[in-house]
């Protein structure tokens, strides 16, 4: 009853000086070990927890009564008499049973309550290091909660004062390597393994602690963390294990629509889930850990982030995902492509995105050639899958690229398109008088189909990236910027002949419906691209290598080939092909704009542009229309069915062709809207 006796005495007698009170409580603890022979009784049956709590209260009170930064006699006593060292020894022996828990709690509260810096003191950071080594010796131990609380408060202190990490670097980051030799349990720099705990709260705290540590700005800490520990292996091995636990076959729609996953809120109750599907629990676990890796790399110090991202690339993407993407099983290809698409959508950290892009597309930056497209097998395979025999695989891969080209990474667009257009050698390199008549729709001013009258008062200054192109040479000199954009807009709107149009018969399907979306999407693209070193005007003709052979690049080649077959492909495939091409057309790069949105450029021999591809499709359409009786009524009926204005009825002949014509008309309207919006945005910012 000594604790109770002291409590009564303190209420009756005058208060002792704080130091005497502090020493009393400490000696009461040491006397217990001298006087007690029964070391089997749990610590909760003794007064030790009460004495430790009283010591903490005294230290807190002492600090509050003194000026900031001043060390009081009680704290001096704790440091001088190495009380923390003694407590560590008692905790390590766990005598009496439960003492380890009490010691962990004391350390945690001491570091958390005392504001003055304690860790720089040798009699603090040395026992702290030793206690860190003690953590994790037993998995799922009863002290697990106290261990993670202790580790996290140390992490928080290091985050608050990053220079403190140098006190721990002397011992190789708290002997983490020694720790990992003990079956990969936990030390300060591997809070990670506690994420295997069955207690979700422990998992979150462990991950939070590790995230604090990787964000420390000290380069030495980042180097030690990534080079002297197995952090990279632990992160990527777990990511790989979650991926390998997924079913071999999954519905792509399930993968795409499963709810957003936040690593700290991975709470899933299978019983309450009405949208359960096979593998959902495994998928959520994988996406949750992917989100954690992504956020960890985003928060990490720059050099640490680069090392971690490279590890994910080599140990997960290359080692685990690439074989799945390169397989020949259509079911396997579809599932792995859908998972890759979901990963692309989810990754937000700059470093991880960069390494993922290098994995998918390679690091080459020079012009593509037809002979070199197979040098990167994975890139080649993915692009070829956009034109796969399986429509499902084609659609999923097109969706993948549609998401990829919208990510904030310059190398994606450089690799897929821009490197092939840099020299502008798609343009004809001949004087006007030596040119042969063209048939692909480049020279449209003489074509009555594209003629139009424009009032001379419609004059606006033309923006650089729209006006300084090949179209404004002596054979196509138009200083009137507004006239030019209207000619381009009408060129696209008039591409599909009137007898093949059906939107005018259905309300709310005019060209203007695309303007709002085009404006929003172009604004978003400009926000992404504005920090890149893109040129504002096309490369000067005299500086271009126009004599070199032109190859549009593997990606555009496949898209143009698909576009050329729009009348013979399923409706859903056509929607995705045109969606990707419209996204590319929105890019605020002068060469992409010229190549995809300018109908008037003079293409070199054997070259094609988006406009010339569509012109050939329209030519084929005009011939095929003649062979289909009641073409226009059938076309209108198909459009109304697609819009849900007519119920499904009897099958209609030439359904694929009719749906293709509708997609073609809508795509031309969308391109016209994009051209108009890009001109308007540029004109409003030009001087």
């Amino acid at each position: 009853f000594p604790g109770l006796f002291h409590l009564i005495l303190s209420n009756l007698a005058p208060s002792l000086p704080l130091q005497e009170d502090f020493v009393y409580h400490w000696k009461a603890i040491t006397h217990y070990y001298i006087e007690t022979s029964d070391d089997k009784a749990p610590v909760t049956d003794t007064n030790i927890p009460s004495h430790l709590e009283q010591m903490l209260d005294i230290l807190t009170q002492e600090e509050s009564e003194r000026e900031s930064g001043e060390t009081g006699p009680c704290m001096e006593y704790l440091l001088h008499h190495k009380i923390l060292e003694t407590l560590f020894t008692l905790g390590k022996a766990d005598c009496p049973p439960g003492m380890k828990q009490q010691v962990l709690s004391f350390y945690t509260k001491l570091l958390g309550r005392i504001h003055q810096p304690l860790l720089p003191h040798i009699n603090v950071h040395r026992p702290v290091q030793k206690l860190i080594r003690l953590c994790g010796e037993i998995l799922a131990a009863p002290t697990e909660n106290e261990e993670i609380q202790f580790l996290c408060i140390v992490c928080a202190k290091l985050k608050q004062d990053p220079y403190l990490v140098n006190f721990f670097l002397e011992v190789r980051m708290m002997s983490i390597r020694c720790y990992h030799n003990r079956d990969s349990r936990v030390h300060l720099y591997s809070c990670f393994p506690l994420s295997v705990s069955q207690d979700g709260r422990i998992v979150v705290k462990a991950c939070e602690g590790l995230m604090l540590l990787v964000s420390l700005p000290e380069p030495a800490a980042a180097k030690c963390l990534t080079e002297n520990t197995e952090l990279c292996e632990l992160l990527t091995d777990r990511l790989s294990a979650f991926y390998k636990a997924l079913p071999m076959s999954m519905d792509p729609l399930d993968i795409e629509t499963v709810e957003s996953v936040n690593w700290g809120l991975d709470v899933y109750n299978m019983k309450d889930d009405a949208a359960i599907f096979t593998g959902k629990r495994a998928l959520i676990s994988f996406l949750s850990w992917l989100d954690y890796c992504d956020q960890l790399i985003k928060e990490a110090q720059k050099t640490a982030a680069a090392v971690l991202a490279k590890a994910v690339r080599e140990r997960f993407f290359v080692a685990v995902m690439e074989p799945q993407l390169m397989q020949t099983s259509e079911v396997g290809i579809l599932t792995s492509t859908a998972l890759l698409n979901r990963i692309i959508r989810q990754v937000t950290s700059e470093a991880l995105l960069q390494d993922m892009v290098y994995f998918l597309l390679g690091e080459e930056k020079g012009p593509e050639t037809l002979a070199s497209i197979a040098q990167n097998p994975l890139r080649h395979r993915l692009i070829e899958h956009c034109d796969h025999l399986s429509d499902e695989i084609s659609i999923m891969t097109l969706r993948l690229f549609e998401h990829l080209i919208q990510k904030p990474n310059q190398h994606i667009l450089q690799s897929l398109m821009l490197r092939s257009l840099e020299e502008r050698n798609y343009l004809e390199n001949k004087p006007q008088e030596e040119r042969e008549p063209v048939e692909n729709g480049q020279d449209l001013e003489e074509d009555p189909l594209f003629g139009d009258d424009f009032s001379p008062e419609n004059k606006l200054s033309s923006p650089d990236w729209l006006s300084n192109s090949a179209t404004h040479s002596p054979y196509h000199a138009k200083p009137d910027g507004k006239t030019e954009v209207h000619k381009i807009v009408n060129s696209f709107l008039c591409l599909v002949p009137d007898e093949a149009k059906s939107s005018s018969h259905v309300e709310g399907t005019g060209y203007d419906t695309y303007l709002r979306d085009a404006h929003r999407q172009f604004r978003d693209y400009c926000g992404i691209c504005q920090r890149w070193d893109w040129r504002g005007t096309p490369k000067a003709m005299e500086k271009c290598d126009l004599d070199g052979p032109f190859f549009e690049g593997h990606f555009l080649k496949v898209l143009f080939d698909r576009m050329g077959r729009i009348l013979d492909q399923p409706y859903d495939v056509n929607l995705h092909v045109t969606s990707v091409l419209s996204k590319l057309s929105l890019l605020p790069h002068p060469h992409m704009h010229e190549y995809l949105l300018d109908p008037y450029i003079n293409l070199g021999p054997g070259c094609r542009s988006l406009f010339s591809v569509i012109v050939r499709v329209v030519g084929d359409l005009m011939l095929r229309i003649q062979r289909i009786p009641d073409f226009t009524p059938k076309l209108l009926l198909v459009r109304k069915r697609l819009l849900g204005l007519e119920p499904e009825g009897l099958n209609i002949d030439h359904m694929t062709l009719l749906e293709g014509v509708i997609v073609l008309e809508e795509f031309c309207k969308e391109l016209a809207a994009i051209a108009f919006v890009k001109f308007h945005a540029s004109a409003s910012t030009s001087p």
Side-chain angles (χ1 to χ4, degrees), residues 365 409-411 413-414 418 422 526-537 588-591:
K365 296 181 180 179
N409 182 280
Q410 187 175 0
H411 185 70
L413 302 170
Q414 181 67 29
L418 294 177
E422 183 62 30
C526 288
I528 292 172
C529 304
Q530 64 182 357
R531 59 192 179 96
W532 299 341
D533 56 345
W534 277 4
R535 57 175 67 249
T537 58
H589 190 286
H591 295 176

Side-chain angles (χ1 to χ4, degrees), residues 56 84 101-114 128 131 145-154 157:
L56 284 168
L84 294 180
Q101 201 167 14
Q102 295 298 321
V103 171
L104 284 164
S105 181
F106 182 84
Y107 272 62
T108 302
K109 292 175 181 178
L110 178 69
L111 293 173
R113 292 182 187 178
I114 302 301
V128 165
L131 191 58
N145 185 58
E146 285 74 19
E147 288 175 15
I148 196 59
Q149 295 290 344
F150 165 65
L151 291 171
C152 282
I153 193 64
V154 178
K157 288 295 179 181

Side-chain angles (χ1 to χ4, degrees), residues 438-452:
V438 293
E439 56 174 310
N440 288 355
Q442 302 98 311
D443 206 355
L444 300 173
E445 290 192 61
E446 304 303 323
D447 191 332
L449 179 63
F450 301 107
D452 204 346

Side-chain angles (χ1 to χ4, degrees), residues 426-581:
Y426 43 84
L427 299 173
E428 188 171 22
N429 186 24
K430 288 182 181 179
Q432 173 70 6
E433 58 273 10
E434 295 181 20
R435 292 184 179 158
E436 300 176 1
V438 293
E439 56 174 310
N440 288 355
Q442 302 98 311
D443 206 355
L444 300 173
E445 290 192 61
E446 304 303 323
D447 191 332
L449 179 63
F450 301 107
D452 204 346
D453 295 323
F454 299 97
S455 56
E457 64 272 13
N458 288 336
K459 295 183 182 293
L460 292 175
S461 59
S462 183
D464 290 340
W465 64 298
L466 280 170
S467 61
N468 295 349
S469 68
T471 65
H472 298 273
S473 53
Y475 52 87
H476 185 62
K478 298 290 180 187
D480 185 343
K482 190 169 183 180
T483 298
E484 277 307 302
V485 73
H486 281 169
K487 286 179 70 67
I488 291 173
V489 167
N490 279 282
S491 295
F492 283 110
L493 292 179
C494 297
L495 256 179
V496 178
D498 289 342
E499 55 266 41
K501 291 181 177 178
S502 56
S503 61
S504 60
H505 301 284
V506 179
E507 187 177 349
T509 58
Y511 141 79
D512 55 316
T513 59
Y514 288 98
L515 287 173
R516 186 185 300 273
D517 285 342
H519 175 75
R520 175 183 54 79
Q521 292 173 352
F522 181 63
R523 182 189 60 212
D524 292 345
Y525 255 132
C526 288
I528 292 172
C529 304
Q530 64 182 357
R531 59 192 179 96
W532 299 341
D533 56 345
W534 277 4
R535 57 175 67 249
T537 58
K539 187 176 181 180
M541 297 286 287
E542 58 271 17
K543 295 183 179 180
C544 294
D545 179 17
L546 297 175
D547 294 324
F550 174 67
F551 175 54
E552 63 240 29
H554 192 196
F555 186 55
L556 283 177
K557 176 185 182 301
V558 169
L559 291 177
F560 283 177
D561 289 346
R562 273 290 200 184
M563 190 66 207
R565 303 198 302 271
I566 193 172
L567 302 179
D568 302 297
Q569 295 174 155
Y571 178 72
D572 288 338
V573 172
N574 286 335
L575 287 180
H576 286 89
V577 171
T578 54
S579 180
V580 173
L581 285 168

Side-chain angles (χ1 to χ4, degrees), residues 113-129:
R113 292 182 187 178
I114 302 301
H115 300 295
Q116 68 183 89
L118 294 178
L119 285 175
H121 293 283
I122 190 170
N123 288 336
V124 176
H125 70 249
R126 279 192 176 175
V128 165
Q129 292 165 5

